[in-house]
């Protein structure tokens, strides 16, 4: 789901297309989020929830790849340097199976963006413009490691160095590429206890044989 409280998503978006491919090849596609913010304070919240019919016990090794996290054209206003927009990914977090907040274990950027913070304070900001949507220089990879999660989310808006809040940053886009993860298998306490009893019996048997010899 994408929460757009300011109603700044362009009509027909988000949509799956091949405009932003992140260097993965012209045949690849991503889910493109296209904003037309009227102020630099507006943002959207992107939330991805894993289908409980597919992963009722959650997902671990979860990873998400974003495309085209960059910045807009620089300009000077009353002696201060700004950029028209600066893509920022922030408030990156997930929920475990008990709805407790967990955080990314790693966030990896590319040439056109910079990663700051750690855990609950991770953020990614565009520092250069991406040549075009087919290049990998704006890619970002977010990983939640071995945490078992049922959903994750992040905010997409503008970072520092954009004009004052009343300026119109115009159109800005990112793409969401592959979301990967491993379904956590069902845990059977009775089966686990049975296996432990079997291992204990085998150990006792071996011990008796060793003692007899």
């Amino acid at each position: 789901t994408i929460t757009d409280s300011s109603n700044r998503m362009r009509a027909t978006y988000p949509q799956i297309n091949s405009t932003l491919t992140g260097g993965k090849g012209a045949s690849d596609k991503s889910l493109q989020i296209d904003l037309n913010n009227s102020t630099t304070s507006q943002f959207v919240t992107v939330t991805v929830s894993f289908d409980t019919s597919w992963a009722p016990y959650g997902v671990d090794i979860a990873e998400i790849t974003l495309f085209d996290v960059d910045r807009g054209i620089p300009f000077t206003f009353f002696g201060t340097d700004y950029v028209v927009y600066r893509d920022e990914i922030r408030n990156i977090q997930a929920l475990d199976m008990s709805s407790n907040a967990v955080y990314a274990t790693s966030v990896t950027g590319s040439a056109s963006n910079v990663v700051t913070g750690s855990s609950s304070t991770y953020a990614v900001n565009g520092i250069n413009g991406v040549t075009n949507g087919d290049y990998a220089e704006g890619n970002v990879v977010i990983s939640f490691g071995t945490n078992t999660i049922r959903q994750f989310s992040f905010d997409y808006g503008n970072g520092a160095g954009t004009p004052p809040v009343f300026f119109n940053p115009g159109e800005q886009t990112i793409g969401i590429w592959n979301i990967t993860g491993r379904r956590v298998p069902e845990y059977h306490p009775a089966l686990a206890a049975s296996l432990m009893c079997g291992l204990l019996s085998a150990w006792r048997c071996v011990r008796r044989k060793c003692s007899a010899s």
Side-chain angles (χ1 to χ4, degrees), residues 186-196:
E186 182 179 3
Y187 174 69
H188 293 280
L191 177 60
S194 176
L195 288 172
M196 285 299 295

Side-chain angles (χ1 to χ4, degrees), residues 4 10 32 38 47 51 58 81 91-93 101 115 122-123 136 157 170 182 184 186:
D4 180 15
R10 287 185 63 207
Q32 186 174 343
S38 59
T47 302
D51 188 345
D81 294 331
N91 295 332
I92 303 167
Q93 65 175 317
V115 178
Y122 267 128
R182 181 179 63 182
V184 174
E186 182 179 3

Side-chain angles (χ1 to χ4, degrees), residues 25-44:
S27 62
D28 251 283
K29 296 182 179 182
S30 65
L31 178 67
Q32 186 174 343
I33 298 174
D34 195 323
L35 303 184
N36 188 14
N37 288 328
S38 59
T39 72
T40 55
S41 65
Q42 294 168 333
F43 64 93
V44 297

Side-chain angles (χ1 to χ4, degrees), residues 39-87:
T39 72
T40 55
S41 65
Q42 294 168 333
F43 64 93
V44 297
T45 299
V46 178
T47 302
V48 175
S49 299
F50 295 102
D51 188 345
T52 55
S53 65
W54 176 76
Y57 303 100
V59 171
D60 64 5
I61 322 297
E63 188 173 277
I64 179 174
T65 300
L66 307 178
F67 293 157
D68 202 45
V69 180
D70 66 349
R71 63 147 173 84
I73 298 170
F75 70 98
T76 301
F77 180 71
F78 282 96
T80 301
D81 294 331
Y82 298 105
V83 292
V84 174
Y85 70 83
R86 187 185 304 280
D87 288 336

Side-chain angles (χ1 to χ4, degrees), residues 132-152:
N132 64 52
D134 296 330
Y135 283 59
E137 58 202 45
N139 292 5
V140 174
V141 178
I142 301 169
S143 175
F144 290 93
T146 57
N147 290 311
T148 299
I149 64 174
R150 62 178 181 85
Q151 75 171 47
F152 65 84

